[in-house]
Amino acid sequence: TMTDRTRVASYGPNEQVLVDRITGDDGIYVVTLNDPETFNTMTVALMKAIAEAFDAISERADPDPNNDEVRAVVLRGEGRGFAIGLDIGKLDEYFAGGIAGKTDPWRAIWDCPFPVIGAVNGPAVTGGFEIALGCDVLLASPRAVFMDNHAKYGVHPGRRLSQRLMHICGVNNAKFATMSSFPIEADVARTWGLVQQVYPDNNALERGSIEVARMMARNHPMMVK
């Protein structure tokens, strides 16, 4: 279970991102977005912390994948949400915050050489939707909902959302999601291929995400990579 774990590190001024290792020799790491009061809003501090956490995990890679101590990563949100986009009133903070290259959380997730499993327990909205799309596999509870509000605010998606969504869900589903900002609930996301599994509740999701990570971890690391 998620309780059998050891804290490896925390990042951000208020521990906005936690990294734990699941007990045992499977090499499963859990990255937690830890700002539940805000539904894990993509503040500059949270973005930088995500980038640091994933880069630190990536640095654990061994030149020989057979010797990798890390085998799989679960990305989850603490509380009632997975992650939601920028506070629209603080866009100037974002543009002044220097989120690019080393500080870019989306880049850090894409660059991670280990499989990343997103455990979506609630809203994944705009920037949070983009974070989810950075994962290799998405698992969800019935409380998961995906929503792209870029068109609502007249802001162009800058983190591959429009491209990734099209590849994963097909052109018309991507158009539907982005043009209308339609809230895509877990079951619809599953039929689109956006989500691979829907679990009965958030506890089952937590257990299921570790189980899937374990299945990946026990396969041949070179093949998985």
Side-chain angles (χ1 to χ4, degrees):
T1 67
M2 291 298 240
T3 51
D4 306 324
R5 53 186 177 177
T6 307
R7 180 65 33 86
V8 174
S10 64
Y11 298 91
N14 297 310
E15 298 197 318
Q16 281 101 335
V17 175
L18 308 174
V19 179
D20 296 306
R21 191 179 190 282
I22 297 293
T23 306
D25 57 3
D26 287 319
I28 299 165
Y29 282 71
V30 178
V31 177
T32 299
L33 309 180
N34 186 40
D35 194 4
E37 291 77 24
T38 74
F39 284 78
N40 302 309
T41 294
M42 290 280 114
T43 59
V44 168
L46 179 61
M47 286 189 239
K48 288 181 174 175
I50 295 167
E52 282 183 73
F54 272 92
D55 283 342
I57 289 170
S58 295
E59 281 161 17
R60 291 173 176 260
D62 193 278
D64 179 358
N66 291 299
N67 299 329
D68 270 329
E69 183 265 325
V70 184
R71 292 296 172 96
V73 182
V74 174
L75 175 61
R76 62 183 289 278
E78 188 63 44
R80 293 170 56 234
F82 179 73
I84 58 176
L86 296 159
D87 179 341
I88 206 73
K90 295 182 178 172
L91 277 181
D92 54 339
E93 247 177 62
Y94 168 65
F95 289 118
I99 300 297
K102 200 72 183 151
T103 56
D104 187 323
W106 294 276
R107 189 266 325 144
I109 295 169
W110 293 323
D111 285 355
C112 183
F114 309 108
V116 180
I117 299 161
V120 184
N121 61 317
V125 180
T126 314
F129 194 172
E130 290 175 325
I131 288 286
L133 288 172
C135 300
D136 298 300
V137 167
L138 290 177
L139 309 176
S141 80
R143 294 196 63 256
V145 59
F146 301 86
M147 198 168 169
D148 177 19
N149 284 336
H150 283 96
K152 197 170 278 188
Y153 298 117
V155 178
H156 196 284
R159 309 290 171 178
R160 303 186 194 175
L161 184 146
S162 54
Q163 295 295 312
R164 292 275 297 146
L165 202 55
M166 191 171 68
H167 291 149
I168 294 166
C169 299
V171 175
N172 284 19
N173 285 335
K175 285 178 184 176
F176 176 62
T178 57
M179 288 176 180
S180 65
S181 302
F182 194 87
I184 306 152
E185 294 183 0
D187 287 337
V188 174
R190 175 89 166 78
T191 64
W192 285 14
L194 173 60
V195 160
Q196 278 60 65
Q197 290 279 12
V198 179
Y199 294 87
D201 55 41
N202 282 351
N203 287 335
L205 169 64
E206 301 264 293
R207 290 192 301 274
S209 63
I210 297 302
E211 194 45 51
V212 171
R214 216 165 247 133
M215 291 167 80
M216 290 183 181
R218 289 172 178 172
N219 278 344
H220 196 294
M222 187 76 93
M223 292 299 101
V224 174
K225 276 189 169 180

